[in-house]
Each structure stands twice: as C-alpha cells, then as structure tokens.
C-alpha cells in the first residue's frame, strides 16, 4: 500500500498529459472516462473494516451473516467504491470486557478505517478512548448505553437506537396504564445502570418513580436471582421493568414463574432484549413461551420497506453455519457496513486519502511486548467521521441520518404483548408522536397534534386477564399499615381513644373504615395514638412523621393545608372546614325608636320626598278640572299634604278625574304597597327575633384591635394567624379543653380572657351546640379548606380512598355517619345583625325610578297641552280687547309683554271647562266676521 501511495502522483501526471494530447480529437465521453479512471487510480485496491462483537450470542449470531452479506453486496455494487474491495476483519470479544479490549486493540492494529461494534457497552467505553486517539470511527450497532452519546466520545457513532429513547417509551407505557411506582431489575453494568438512570428521570417527569432498583451482577447464578426476586416480591409495587442482556434474560422469568410471580396482579415490562431473543429463535418452544405469557415488551421498529422485505427473503441463504434466526440487530449491522462504504465513497470523491501515521505518544514503548507501535493514526479519520455524520440514505432498517446529538433520526419502538405461541403488536411509540396505534412513518406524514391521546390496544396480562392490573399491593412482609391517630383531648367526637378494638373511635375513624370497606382489596392496618393524652398533639408534626416514613398514614381531623400538601398526599376531603371567629354576645335592649329601624335614613328621606312630589304632581294634573283641588291657596296646600300621605294607607278621599292624574296615582299606589309590605315584614323581624350584639364584627375588626385571641392547642390556626395575618404571638392564647373555651369567652379581655376565638368551623359547630348557643360567630369564613386522610407521597391508596369517599358521599353514607356523631341541637351559627335587616334604597330605587319617570312624562304631556291651548287663545289678546280670564271682564291691555306671563299663569289657573268655552266662542266669532267683512262691530262687547 505504501508503494502505491508513492507512485500515485507520477501515474496521475502521465494520465493527465495523455488526456491533454488526445483532447483534440477524442469526444467528451472519452475524456470523462479518463477523468474517472484518474480518480479510481487514487483509491486503494482494498480496505479493511473491523468487526468486534461476541460471535456466540443472540446479537452476534444475527449480526455475523448480516455483516458478511453487506460486504458482499457492497463489493458487487459497481456504484460503490469501484476498484476497491472491502474486507472485514472479525474479532470475537467472548462476552468479556478484558478480552474484548485486547481483541479491539489487535483489530485496530490492522490499519482499519472503521470498526463495527462492539455490542457490549463496557467494551465500547474503553475502546472509545482508543479510537479517539487513533481517529478511527467506531460504528456500534448494538451498544445502547445512553452515556456513550457524551461529547467525551466523538468517534463513537451509534447506528442503532439509544436506550435513552427506549426508557422514555417505557415511561410512557407506565403512565398510560396509570402506575406510579415500578421496580427495575437490571444487570449491574454500564448499560444496565445508565439505562435505568434514564428511566428514573423519564418516570419523574410523569410523576412516577422507581421504588426499588434490583441489580445483579453479570453471570449471576439462579440462586442469586431467586433471592433477588423473593426480596422484590415482598415490596409494594407489582410493576417490574426488566433491562438485561438477551442471552441470560430468560432466567429472570424462569425463576419468577417458579415463585408464582407470573400470575394475575403482576406486570412485567421487558426492553428490546426479549423480542431480540425470541425473534432469533426459529421456533420458540412451548416451555420458553410459557415463561413470558402476558409480558409487555419493546422492539425496535423498522419500516416495512421493499428493501427490508428483500433482505429478509434472502435471510435463510445468508445464514452461515452456527448462526441463528433474524432480529433487528441484523438490520443495524447490515446498514452499518453500508454506512461505512457510502461514506468512503463520498470521502474519496471529496479528495480524501487513506494513510496512517505513527502515534508520537507511543514511541517510547518500542521495548514493550504489547507491540503498541502497531496502533497507527488514521490521518483522514476526522474528515471521514464528519462524512459519516452527514450521510443520509435509506437502509434496510429505515432512514440512516444523524441529528446534531449523533442519534439516528426518528427513533421508534413497537409495543408487543406476548401470549400463546407468539406476540402481537398493541401499539407503537416514537420520540415525536408518543404512543399510538398507527405506525410512526405514517404519522410523520400528518400534521402533528399535541392533543393526540396516547392509545394502545388491550393487552392480556399474566394470569390471562384483560383487566388492567392495579400495579401494587400491600407489602407482603407481615406488617400491616401503621396509621397514626391524633390523641385528642378536646372535641373527642372527631377522634378519641377507645378501650375496645381497634383502640380508637370517632367520626373520622368511622369514615375511614367505611371507605376502606369499599376497596376491592383488604387493607390490614393498626392504629397508633400520636400524643400523650394530656394536650392536643401538633397535627403538623404528625403530618411530618408520615412524610418521614415513620407512619404509613394519618387518620383523624387533619386539615388540608398548602404546606402539608407539599410533603404528603391527601385524600378527597370528607368534611368541609374553614376558620371562623366566635365571640361572646349580649342581647340588645328594646328601643322606643325601633319603628325607625326597618329603613335606613336615606330610605326615609327619599320616601318622604316622593310622597310630597307625587302629591304635587297629582295636584297640578287635577287642579284645572277637579273642584276638590281648587280653592284658596291655604286650602290647596293642605290638600297636597293630605293627599300625599293619605295614600300610604289608601285612605285618600279626593277623587282623580284626569287621565294623567289617575295614571300617576296607580303607579304610586303600587310603589306604596311594596314599601309598606316590606316595612311591615322588616319591623316584625326586628321586634320578634332576638338581637345580639358584639363589638367584634369579623376577622378585620379582630386584627385591628389589640385584644387577646383564643386558638385551639395544636391547631394550624396559630401559625396561620402569625404568618399570614401578621398577628403578634403575644396576643394568642392556647386553649386546651372545652372549659378553657367557655371561661376565656366569658371573662373577656378585661378579666384575663379573650375577645374572640379563631377555630375551624366543625369544631365551632360542636362547641356552640354544647354550650346551648350562648356564643355566636361573626363575619364570614376567611379560609376555605377541608379535612382528609394523609398518606406518604405518591401512595396509590390515597387515590383509591378518594374514590371511596366520593362514593360514600354520593350514596348518603357519609351524611349518615355525620348524623351519628353530631346529633346536637342546631342553633343559628351566624349572629343576627340589625344593620343587615334594615332596608336600604338599593332595594327600591327601581320602583322610585319608574314612578319618577311616570310623573315626568305626565307633566310633559300636561304642559304641552296647556301651551297648545294658550297659542290658540293668544291672538285675541294681541288685538287689544281681551276678556279677563280670571274674572270674565273685558279690558284694554296697554303692554302685551309686561302682562304676558301673568296672562299665562291666569290661563293655567283657569278651569278647563271655561277655557274650552272661550275657545269655542272665539271660533264662532271668527266665522261671523268672515260672513260680514264690512261690519264694524267690535270683537268683544263690554260686560
């Protein structure tokens, strides 16, 4: 090869000279062939590509014939590397990192331009450092360890899918079925540890987790695996994710079946190792298939292209002696050879040359028997690597193209359900579309929708059941749940110590037991009292004990608060709650002015004003035609007042004769009816209902004062008042029993008591019932919460109990339990306030508006009518002789302007009947004048 490289420039010059001489008469086609020949002459006649994997393994037995087939196909394709023959140098790693490393060094010492493999991630980690130094691309079709994608290994190129994506696919499956915890069973090597680490991250994003990591060493014995499975079988989770190698993985299921762990209630999820193993068997036996019935497994998805179908049809002819059946790794191995070959073709076309040089760092090792000087640097390795990463073609496994992170594009898996003598596909997973029933390559052609719901076909689970397994059970270690119960001193109707089993009683205990009885499984549990029985325990401390795994749950009157939900999970609230203010009250003394209380002073003023206004309007409308509304000014003024207020009792004696007057009166009487009825009802309520008063009107007035405040011992209300409402701790007084409550309120702040007590509504209801309603709450609830049962984070029992509590509420059992424990006489919780019973203008302004509009419209029509009549009457006044409207006499008017307003007022004051008579007479005179135009008879004769 070195001689060829030395003579290459001379040969090239001769060829170019010959081409130039013949250019004058040779056609262009001949010149093109000559140039191609020039390029071909610069290529070596043969190139070495190394292959490194365990030959006698599930992956190796499938990869070996595929690699040889790819070498044959490349060498027989005239469009790929013409004039150059690819030769493969195959080394066996024998499932050993040490031997694999030695074999890899020997392989690279053969001046290979690329290495295919290894399948072991442990060997890949070591060899990646070697190829980094020697600039030889390492194309691995089986090393799926996610950590190999690090920037630390630039010459490592993965030609299969990374476990990074497979673990996210597993997490999506777990989320799809609603499981929150899984147990990971894996080989404790680089591939196993790093893959499970990614699985933990993926599950955390789905609000799930790995509850236990069950690792075993490579090559572990059956006894070791048996002990491992016995241990995990005692745990809570029944969802097992198995991530092992395909050669020894079936041992897990063999031992699990002997332990009865392949029955109903168990969930087994296997990564791609299991389909790879089963696919490699030409006809899996019944014994093998019986081990994995109901298992859900993932397999690499490769599109069913014509290229793939053609390759699979040749498979039986491709198999060499000792090789096994087909699996997806055969496709990736085949495509790896083609990737190297196509990249070499581009490499040569871009002017790349094959040459190797000694590594100066290895010069001092010449005396070593390891012959490290045979490891030479591939001078064009960097350019060749970049060429590989830029390749884009379609192989038998699908599209071969790398993204910026050196991952193959479009990672996808098939979700299989193993049953009977084979497996069936229940769905697909891809990095961009998630779980689906449609092949990913079909979804890529459709517009992406983020709202697409993940779907899978129904699966048959271990035990031949189609019902989705719950995924967890109570730990099978003989220890029932330890449930902490607050040892209350006060309000023992909620929870209290009891001498008879189960040792506690109360409303909360009955609700919990009723909810547990609705679960489709048994919940063994023991109650443990929390506290010394001398004072209420701090419930927040109890919740913290649950979060610290000192108790499995807390059952009692535990209020759901924001801080507590951060460390534990609560069930659905079984009782509503909220903080209220309770105060001592005294009965309000009777007042001689109680009859004024139904209305506010604004209501009184507006009502009185409208009485006078409506009376004046009716007088204006009736004055011209109703004799009862005429007379001396004093009499008319008295009529207005009398008529206005007599309508309050519907006893007005004056009759209305005008249409407009009757309209206004009807509307006003309707308004009066509503007002008097409301007044009567309000006054009755004020005089008959006991009125209680307190100077504390709610939480705002309590904060503004400096009076002491009582708080139940152990309640979260203490911290809430201090942290949220900024009330000084010096003002707060802890109340330890019912007697403290009563005495503190009776004594008041002046005698060493408190001005008010802040506590939760359920407790206050019991307190006021026990004290025969001597105290009252003021204001409204200023917090909204509820009481629930506390469990450790992500406990599936919290979800199931929430459903049970909702069922109790819907069927009425929850109310029955409430009535059993809280059958006290009910009293009015909220204190009656006089001000809240008073009627204000807000409730009646609509009525006043209607009445006002009616009055305004009636006056408008009335005055328009007056003006029209006056305009008809006005010409007679202009002629100079006018009959006095008020007296009926005729007089001469010296100045029309000076008397016009007085005439208008006189006209308005004149009775309607007389005006009509005068206008009628004026019309008759006008007709007479038209009949005798020469007559000098005056218009009006003197009286």
């Amino acid at each position: 090869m070195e001689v060829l490289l030395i003579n290459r420039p001379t040969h090239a010059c001769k060829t170019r000279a010959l081409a130039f001489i013949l250019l004058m008469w040779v056609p262009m086609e001949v010149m093109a062939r000559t140039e191609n020949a020039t390029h071909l002459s610069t290529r070596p006649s043969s190139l070495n590509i190394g292959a490194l994997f365990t030959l006698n393994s599930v992956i190796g037995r499938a990869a070996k014939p595929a690699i040889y087939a790819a070498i044959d196909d490349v060498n027989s394709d005239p469009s790929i590397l013409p004039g150059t023959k690819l030769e493969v140098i195959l080394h066996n790693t024998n499932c050993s990192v040490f031997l694999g490393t030695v074999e890899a060094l020997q392989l690279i010492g053969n001046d290979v331009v690329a290495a295919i493999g290894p399948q072991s991630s442990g060997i890949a980690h070591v060899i990646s450092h070697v190829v980094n130094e020697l600039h030889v691309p390492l194309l691995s079709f089986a090393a799926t360890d996610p950590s190999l994608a690090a920037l630390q290994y630039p010459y490592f190129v993965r030609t299969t899918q990374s476990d990074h994506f497979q673990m996210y696919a597993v997490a999506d499956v777990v989320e799809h079925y609603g499981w929150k915890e899984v147990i990971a069973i894996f080989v404790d090597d680089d591939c196993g540890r790093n893959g499970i680490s990614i699985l933990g991250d993926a599950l955390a994003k789905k609000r799930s987790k790995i509850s236990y990591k069950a690792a075993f060493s490579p090559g572990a014995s059956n006894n070791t695996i048996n002990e491992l499975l016995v241990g995990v079988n005692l745990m809570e989770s029944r969802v097992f994710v198995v991530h092992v190698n395909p050669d020894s993985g079936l041992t897990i299921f063999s031992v699990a079946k002997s332990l009865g762990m392949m029955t109903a209630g168990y969930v087994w999820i296997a990564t791609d190792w299991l389909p790879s193993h089963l696919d490699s068997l030409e006809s899996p036996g019944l014994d093998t298939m019986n081990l994995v019935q109901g298992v859900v497994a993932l397999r690499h998805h490769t599109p069913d292209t014509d290229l793939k179908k053609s390759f699979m049809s040749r498979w039986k002819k491709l198999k060499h002696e000792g090789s096994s059946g087909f699996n997806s790794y055969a496709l990736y191995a085949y495509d790896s050879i083609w990737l190297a070959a196509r990249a070499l073709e581009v490499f040569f076309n871009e002017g790349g040359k094959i040459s190797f040089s000694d590594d100066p760092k290895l010069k001092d090792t010449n005396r070593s028997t390891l012959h490290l000087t045979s490891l030479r640097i591939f001078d064009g390795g960097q350019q060749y690597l970049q060429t590989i990463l830029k390749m884009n073609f379609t192989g038998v496994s699908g599209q071969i193209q790398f993204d910026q992170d050196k991952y193959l594009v479009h990672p996808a898996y098939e979700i299989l359900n193993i049953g009977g003598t084979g497996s069936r596909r229940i769905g697909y997973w891809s990095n961009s579309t998630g779980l689906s029933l449609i092949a990913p390559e079909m979804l890529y052609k459709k517009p992406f929708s983020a709202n697409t719901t993940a779907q899978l076909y129904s699966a048959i689970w271990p035990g031949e059941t189609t019902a989705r397994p719950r995924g967890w059970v109570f730990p099978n270690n003989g220890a029932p749940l330890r449930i902490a119960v607050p040892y209350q001193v006060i309000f023992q109707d909620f929870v209290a110590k009891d001498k008879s089993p189960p040792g506690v009683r109360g409303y909360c205990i009955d609700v919990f037991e009723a909810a547990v009885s609705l679960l489709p499984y048994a919940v063994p549990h023991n109650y443990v009292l929390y506290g010394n029985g001398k004072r209420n325990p701090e419930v927040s401390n109890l919740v913290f004990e649950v979060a610290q795994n000192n108790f499995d749950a807390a059952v009692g009157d535990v209020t759901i608060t924001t801080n507590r939900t951060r460390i534990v999970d609560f069930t659905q609230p079984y009782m509503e709650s909220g903080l209220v203010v309770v105060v001592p009250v005294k009965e309000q003394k009777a007042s001689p002015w109680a009859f004024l209380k139904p209305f506010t002073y604004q209501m009184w003023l507006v009502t009185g004003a409208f009485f006078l206004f409506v009376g004046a309007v009716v007088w204006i409308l009736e004055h011209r035609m109703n004799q009862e509304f005429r007379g001396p000014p004093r009499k008319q003024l008295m009529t207005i007042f009398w008529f206005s207020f007599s309508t309050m009792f519907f006893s007005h004696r004056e009759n209305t004769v005008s249409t407009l007057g009757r309209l206004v009166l009807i509307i006003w009487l309707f308004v009066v009816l509503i007002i008097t009825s409301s007044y009567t009802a309000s006054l009755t309520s004020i005089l008959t209902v006991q009125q209680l008063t307190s100077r504390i009107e709610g939480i705002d007035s309590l904060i503004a004062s400096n009076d002491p405040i009582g708080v139940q011992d152990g309640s979260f209300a203490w911290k809430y008042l201090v942290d949220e409402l900024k009330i000084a701790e010096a003002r707060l007084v802890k109340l330890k029993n019912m007697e403290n409550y009563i005495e503190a309120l009776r004594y008041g702040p002046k005698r060493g008591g408190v001005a008010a007590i802040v506590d939760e509504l359920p407790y206050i209801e019991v307190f006021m019932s026990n004290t025969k309603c001597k105290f009252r709450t003021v204001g409204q609830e200023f917090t909204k919460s509820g009481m629930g049962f506390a469990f450790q984070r992500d406990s599936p029992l919290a979800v199931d109990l929430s459903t049970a509590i909702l069922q109790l509420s819907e069927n009425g059992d929850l109310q029955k339990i409430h009535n059993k424990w809280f059958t006290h006489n009910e009293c009015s919780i909220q204190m009656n306030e006089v001000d809240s019973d008073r009627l204000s203008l807000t409730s009646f302004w609509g009525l006043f508006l209607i009445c006002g509009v009616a009055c305004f419209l009636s006056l408008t029509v009335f005055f328009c009518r007056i003006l029209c009549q006056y305009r008809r009457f006005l010409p007679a006044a202009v002629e100079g002789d006018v009959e006095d409207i008020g007296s009926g006499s005729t007089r001469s008017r010296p100045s029309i302007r000076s008397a016009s307003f007085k005439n208008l007022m006189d006209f308005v004051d004149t009775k309607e009947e007389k005006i009509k008579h005068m206008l009628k007479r004026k019309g008759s005179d006008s007709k007479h004048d038209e009949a005798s135009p020469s007559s000098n008879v005056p218009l009006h004769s003197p009286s």
Side-chain angles (χ1 to χ4, degrees):
M1 184 181 298
E2 292 179 355
V3 175
L4 179 62
L5 290 175
I6 294 173
N7 293 335
R8 187 182 301 153
T10 303
H11 181 70
C13 292
K14 292 180 179 179
T15 305
R16 290 192 183 96
L18 179 63
F20 179 78
I21 295 173
L22 297 177
L23 183 62
M24 301 301 296
W25 67 87
V26 178
M28 296 300 297
E29 297 91 358
V30 176
M31 184 185 68
R33 293 193 191 102
T34 304
E35 291 178 352
N36 289 336
T38 301
H39 287 295
L40 293 176
S41 65
T42 62
R43 303 183 182 188
S45 59
S46 65
L47 284 175
N48 293 331
I49 291 181
L52 184 70
F53 52 87
T54 300
L55 300 180
N56 188 24
S57 65
V58 171
I59 295 177
R61 287 190 292 268
K64 181 179 178 180
I67 289 176
Y68 280 122
I71 291 293
D72 294 340
D73 291 346
V74 169
N75 290 332
S76 61
D77 190 338
S79 63
I80 302 295
L81 299 177
T84 301
K85 181 180 180 181
L86 281 186
E87 295 184 359
V88 60
I89 302 176
L90 192 61
H91 281 244
N92 187 3
T93 61
N94 292 307
C95 293
S96 169
V97 175
F98 173 73
L99 294 178
T101 302
V102 174
E103 293 291 336
L105 293 174
Q106 294 177 355
L107 175 67
I108 297 176
N110 292 320
D111 289 344
V112 296
V113 295
I116 308 299
Q119 73 188 65
S120 168
S121 297
I123 299 176
H125 277 283
V126 177
I127 299 305
S128 292
H129 293 286
V130 177
V131 297
N132 287 350
E133 180 70 21
L134 302 180
H135 298 176
V136 177
L138 182 63
L139 310 182
S140 178
F141 61 90
T144 58
D145 180 4
S147 67
L148 287 170
L151 298 177
Q152 182 182 9
Y153 309 116
Y155 281 85
F156 177 84
V157 180
R158 196 193 322 267
T159 57
T160 185
Q161 302 298 345
S162 169
D163 279 343
H164 173 89
F165 301 106
Q166 181 169 213
M167 294 308 167
Y168 273 84
V170 172
D172 281 351
V173 172
V174 171
E175 181 192 33
H176 176 77
Y177 290 108
W179 299 313
K180 293 299 181 182
E181 294 184 3
V182 303
I183 293 177
I185 302 174
F186 60 98
V187 178
D188 193 11
D189 58 11
D190 291 330
C191 183
R193 285 191 304 271
N194 295 329
I196 295 304
S197 177
I198 296 295
L199 175 62
D201 296 339
L203 288 173
K205 294 180 179 179
K206 309 292 183 181
R207 294 203 64 184
S208 301
K209 67 177 182 179
I210 300 177
S211 61
Y212 182 73
K213 295 181 180 180
F216 59 92
S217 61
S221 64
N222 285 9
N223 290 336
T224 301
I225 295 176
N226 184 81
E227 293 176 2
L228 182 75
L229 294 184
V230 168
V232 299
N233 196 36
L234 297 176
M235 298 179 184
E236 183 177 283
S237 178
R238 281 293 181 265
V239 181
F240 303 103
V241 177
V242 183
H243 184 52
V244 295
N245 64 69
D247 295 288
S248 59
L250 283 179
T251 305
I252 299 292
F253 293 108
S254 176
V255 176
K257 188 173 181 63
S258 65
L259 295 175
M261 297 174 66
M262 300 299 296
T263 56
Y266 289 87
V267 177
W268 293 88
I269 301 175
T271 53
D272 65 286
W273 68 268
L274 181 58
S276 297
H277 180 87
L278 296 179
D279 291 344
S280 65
L281 302 176
E282 293 187 0
S283 56
L286 290 178
D287 293 339
T288 299
M289 296 307 298
N290 286 337
L291 296 178
V292 292
Q293 293 295 305
V295 175
V296 172
L298 278 70
R299 179 171 63 191
H300 297 117
H301 172 67
T302 54
D304 291 328
T305 60
D306 294 337
L307 193 61
K308 175 184 174 182
K309 294 177 181 178
S310 175
F311 177 77
M312 294 181 65
S313 66
R314 300 166 49 203
W315 180 252
K316 290 185 178 180
K317 298 179 181 179
L318 296 177
K319 289 192 302 180
H320 291 244
E321 183 179 357
S323 63
S324 59
F326 170 86
N327 59 43
S328 61
Y329 288 102
L331 301 177
Y332 292 119
Y334 182 87
D335 282 343
S336 297
I337 296 293
W338 272 97
L339 173 62
R342 290 179 181 273
L344 281 171
E345 178 66 24
V346 176
F347 173 76
F348 287 133
N349 290 337
E350 292 178 350
K353 298 179 181 180
I354 303 298
S355 64
F356 293 87
S357 59
D358 293 334
D359 189 345
K361 300 177 182 179
L362 298 177
K363 285 184 177 180
D364 297 332
T365 61
N366 291 333
R367 298 179 181 179
S368 172
T369 58
L370 296 176
H371 303 292
L372 295 179
T373 53
S374 63
L375 301 176
R376 300 196 299 168
I377 298 175
F378 177 21
D379 297 327
Q382 177 64 31
Q383 179 184 352
Y384 184 40
L385 173 65
Q386 296 305 318
T387 303
I388 290 174
L389 296 178
K390 294 177 182 177
M391 294 303 297
N392 184 4
F393 67 96
T394 300
V396 294
S397 63
Q399 185 178 0
I400 306 299
Q401 182 183 0
F402 298 95
D403 60 18
Q404 60 183 2
D405 296 321
K406 297 196 303 182
Y407 291 125
L408 283 178
V409 297
H410 304 317
Y413 291 87
E414 297 176 1
I415 313 300
L416 306 179
N417 182 211
I418 300 174
T421 59
S423 63
R424 65 187 184 95
R425 185 171 53 236
I426 61 175
Y428 299 89
W429 181 93
S430 72
N431 189 40
S432 57
T433 60
L435 297 175
S436 67
L437 301 176
I438 304 175
E441 59 268 20
M442 301 300 296
L443 292 177
Y444 296 148
K445 302 176 182 179
K446 300 179 180 179
F448 175 71
S449 174
N451 297 325
T452 302
T453 303
Q455 293 181 343
L456 291 176
Y457 291 112
S458 61
I460 300 176
W461 305 100
E464 298 184 356
T465 175
T466 57
R468 180 188 69 86
R470 190 170 69 247
W472 66 276
V473 295
F474 290 102
N476 189 22
N477 53 13
L481 292 181
R482 298 180 71 249
I483 298 179
V485 177
Y487 195 171
Q488 296 283 29
V489 178
I490 188 174
F491 302 120
Q492 295 189 351
D493 288 338
F494 290 91
V495 62
K497 181 180 179 180
D498 191 22
K499 295 181 180 180
S500 59
V504 288
R505 60 177 177 82
Y507 168 72
C508 302
I509 303 300
D510 284 1
V511 172
F512 180 77
E513 292 291 344
V516 169
S517 66
L518 295 178
L519 299 180
Y521 49 87
V523 183
H525 58 278
N526 291 330
Y527 294 110
V528 179
L529 289 172
Y530 182 81
N532 56 18
K534 297 180 180 179
R535 56 178 297 183
N536 286 349
E538 290 286 344
V539 180
S540 295
N541 293 342
L542 170 59
V543 173
F544 182 76
E545 292 288 338
V546 174
Q548 293 298 310
N549 200 25
N550 295 327
F551 297 103
D552 297 305
V555 172
D557 47 345
V558 181
T559 303
I560 303 172
T561 64
T562 303
N563 290 334
R564 293 173 182 175
T565 56
R566 293 192 178 104
I567 59 175
V568 297
D569 284 348
F570 280 94
T571 63
Q572 172 80 15
Y574 58 86
M575 174 178 277
E576 293 184 356
S577 182
L579 291 178
V580 294
V581 178
V582 61
V583 296
V585 294
K586 59 182 179 179
E587 185 176 353
Q588 188 176 15
K589 297 180 180 180
S591 172
W593 303 101
F595 68 92
L596 295 176
K597 291 181 179 179
F599 288 166
T600 61
Y601 75 92
Q602 296 95 336
M603 183 66 181
W604 279 117
L605 292 177
V606 173
T607 302
F610 257 84
F611 270 109
L612 296 177
F613 173 68
V614 172
V617 171
V618 173
W619 177 84
I620 293 173
L621 299 176
E622 294 289 325
H623 178 69
R624 299 186 69 203
M625 60 182 62
N626 192 338
Q627 187 62 37
E628 295 182 359
F629 288 86
R630 300 184 66 83
R634 182 178 180 183
K635 177 184 177 183
Q636 295 184 46
L637 186 61
M638 294 300 298
T639 300
I640 292 174
F641 277 95
W642 167 255
F643 180 82
S644 299
F645 291 100
S646 62
T647 55
M648 183 187 302
F649 310 102
F650 305 97
S651 60
H652 51 285
R653 64 187 181 185
E654 294 81 7
N655 295 320
T656 53
V657 296
S658 67
T659 303
L660 294 176
R662 290 177 177 177
L663 174 64
V664 171
L665 184 60
I666 290 174
I667 295 175
W668 174 243
L669 291 178
F670 174 74
V671 174
V672 170
L673 175 63
I674 299 299
I675 292 176
T676 54
S677 300
S678 301
Y679 174 85
T680 303
S682 180
L683 182 61
T684 302
S685 175
I686 291 174
L687 295 179
T688 57
V689 177
Q690 183 185 23
Q691 300 298 326
L692 304 175
T693 61
S694 173
R695 62 187 183 85
I696 302 296
E697 298 177 354
I699 186 62
D700 293 331
S701 60
L702 184 61
I703 295 174
S705 69
N706 292 320
D707 296 330
I709 304 171
V711 180
Q712 182 185 164
D713 188 21
S715 172
F716 81 98
W718 181 287
K719 189 173 182 180
Y720 179 84
L721 294 176
V722 173
D723 295 343
E724 301 297 332
L725 301 184
K726 308 303 179 184
I727 297 177
E729 288 193 44
R731 293 180 55 190
L732 303 183
V733 179
K734 289 187 177 181
L735 306 176
K736 300 181 179 180
N737 51 51
M738 188 74 71
E739 290 73 19
N740 290 159
Y741 272 64
I742 298 173
E743 292 175 358
L745 289 175
R746 282 181 177 174
Y747 291 158
K750 295 182 180 180
R751 299 170 55 191
V754 296
I757 292 176
V758 175
D759 207 345
E760 297 178 69
L761 182 59
Y763 301 133
I764 296 304
E765 289 177 341
V766 175
F767 169 67
M768 290 196 301
S769 296
N770 293 342
T771 55
K772 299 180 180 179
C773 305
K774 292 181 180 180
F775 307 97
R776 292 288 189 275
T777 60
V778 291
Q780 303 296 325
E781 291 181 64
F782 55 93
T783 64
K784 288 289 186 180
S785 58
M787 293 182 179
F789 305 129
F791 289 85
Q792 296 175 12
R793 295 287 289 180
D794 300 321
S795 172
L797 189 58
V799 178
D800 291 349
L801 277 179
S802 294
T803 304
I805 290 173
L806 289 175
Q807 187 175 348
L808 289 174
S809 178
E810 292 172 356
N811 61 25
D813 290 343
L814 192 61
Q815 185 61 42
K816 293 178 181 178
I817 298 174
H818 183 277
N819 295 338
K820 170 187 174 182
W821 288 96
F822 308 114
T823 56
H824 311 287
N825 297 327
E826 294 185 0
C827 58
S828 177
I829 299 299
Q830 185 68 32
M831 187 179 69
N832 295 308
E833 297 181 3
V834 176
D835 289 341
S836 64
D837 295 331
R838 302 184 73 181
L839 301 175
S840 65
L841 187 60
T842 305
S843 304
F844 297 97
W845 70 267
L847 287 174
F848 290 125
L849 177 63
I850 293 173
C851 184
V853 171
C855 292
F856 175 76
L857 294 177
S858 298
L859 290 176
T860 301
V861 173
F862 174 78
F863 284 114
C864 288
R865 184 179 176 188
I866 291 293
L867 291 176
C868 290
Q869 291 179 348
Y870 185 67
R871 289 183 62 186
R872 293 174 57 189
F873 175 77
L874 187 59
V878 175
E879 292 176 1
D881 292 327
V882 137
E883 181 180 354
D884 187 70
I885 298 174
S887 62
S889 62
T890 301
R891 61 182 176 86
S892 177
R893 299 185 62 184
S895 175
I896 295 177
R897 290 185 177 179
S898 63
S900 60
F901 181 74
K902 184 177 184 301
N903 289 340
L904 178 59
M905 292 297 99
D906 291 341
F907 182 82
V908 173
D909 189 54
T910 304
K911 293 185 64 174
E912 180 79 12
E913 182 180 357
K914 187 174 182 180
I915 292 298
K916 290 181 179 180
H917 175 72
M918 292 172 62
L919 294 176
K920 183 177 181 182
R921 189 178 66 179
K922 178 183 175 184
S924 300
D925 292 344
S926 297
K927 292 179 181 179
H928 178 68
D929 291 342
E930 292 175 0
S932 303
S934 59
S935 174
N936 294 325
V937 180
L939 182 62
H940 299 288
S941 58
S943 56

